[in-house]
Structure formats: structure tokens, C-alpha cells
């Protein structure tokens, strides 16, 4: 965006008034930029806290109901909320392992519950079987 052109007035008092108004406008932009950055930081902290509460709520529902609960948080929400690991168990050999959610190649909008059908046991894969995992 091109800077706005302010024609310079001919009289001295008008030039001084224009200079004051331009300096006030520049000072106000700095103040507004600072307030915007502070509001954005507060908003990001609130979103992070909301994502953490969503993950804790989902974990409690899973524990109380004994299985996956719909709807679950997305991968992006879990990582933003501070939950980077997902514990799974092979439905065949009952081997438990942790999965790093940040390292998964799935889109961040994928629901955690949908990962259960996509994650497989590496131990059983070597034996030629690929049973689905269950979320813990």
C-alpha cells in the first residue's frame, strides 16, 4: 500500500498543525500495535487453556465410559493444549506404546478418535498381521 500524500500547506501555522497531526497519528499507530500484540498474546493463552481443558475433559470421559468418546479433540488441539503423547494398545497382543502426536503425518484437523483405526501395532506387523489399536 502506497503512503498517503499530504499536500504541504502554504502558511506556516498550517504546516505546523499538519506536522503535529502526523506525529500524533504515528504515535497512535505504535500504541495500537502494542495493544494489538498484547490482546493477541492473551487470546492465544486463552485458546491454549481452552484446548487443555478440552483434552482433560475428553480424558475423564474416556476413563469414566471405558472407551473412546465422540467427539474427541483434534490433533492440533491436543498438541496446543500440552498433550503430545497418545497411549494405545494393540487389540491382538495387548502391547502398549506411546505415539507422538506432533510427529504424525496426519492433518492437524484429524480427530484423535479417528487415529485408533489408522494406528497399527509394529510388533504384529512383523508377524504379518495388522490389527487396529485401541486408545487408552
Amino acid at each position: 500500500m502506497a503512503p498517503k500524500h499530504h499536500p504541504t500547506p502554504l502558511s506556516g501555522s498550517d504546516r505546523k498543525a499538519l506536522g503535529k497531526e502526523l506525529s500524533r497519528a504515528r504515535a497512535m499507530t505504535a500504541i495500537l500495535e502494542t495493544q494489538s500484540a498484547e490482546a493477541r498474546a492473551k487470546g492465544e493463552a486463552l485458546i491454549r487453556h481452552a484446548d487443555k481443558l478440552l483434552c482433560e475433559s475428553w480424558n475423564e470421559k474416556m476413563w469414566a465410559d471405558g472407551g473412546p468418546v465422540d467427539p474427541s479433540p483434534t490433533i492440533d488441539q491436543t498438541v496446543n493444549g500440552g498433550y503430545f503423547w497418545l497411549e494405545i494398545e494393540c487389540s491382538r497382543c495387548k502391547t502398549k506404546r506411546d505415539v507422538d502426536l506432533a510427529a504424525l503425518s496426519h492433518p492437524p484437523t484429524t480427530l484423535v478418535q479417528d487415529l485408533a483405526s489408522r494406528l497399527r501395532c509394529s510388533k504384529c506387523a512383523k508377524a504379518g498381521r495388522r490389527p487396529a489399536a485401541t486408545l487408552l
Side-chain angles (χ1 to χ4, degrees), residues 34-104:
T34 305
Q35 289 177 349
S36 172
E38 290 171 357
R40 183 171 307 279
K42 286 179 187 176
E44 289 172 355
L46 285 173
I47 290 172
R48 195 173 307 110
H49 183 66
D51 288 342
K52 181 179 180 186
L53 291 175
L54 177 66
C55 292
E56 289 175 359
S57 169
W58 187 69
N59 283 338
E60 291 296 324
K61 285 180 189 175
M62 279 191 54
W63 182 82
D65 294 344
V69 178
D70 189 32
S72 66
T74 63
I75 295 174
D76 195 27
Q77 289 173 328
T78 57
V79 171
N80 191 34
Y83 291 90
F84 302 103
W85 297 94
L86 179 67
E87 188 178 2
I88 63 171
E89 180 181 58
C90 177
S91 59
R92 181 178 169 270
C93 66
K94 303 299 183 199
T95 302
K96 296 179 183 179
R97 73 177 178 126
D98 292 331
V99 177
D100 185 7
L101 291 174
L104 289 177

Side-chain angles (χ1 to χ4, degrees), residues 6-9 13-23:
H6 299 286
T8 306
S13 62
D14 289 342
R15 280 195 303 265
K16 287 180 185 176
L18 177 64
K20 285 182 181 180
E21 289 300 319
L22 289 175
S23 65

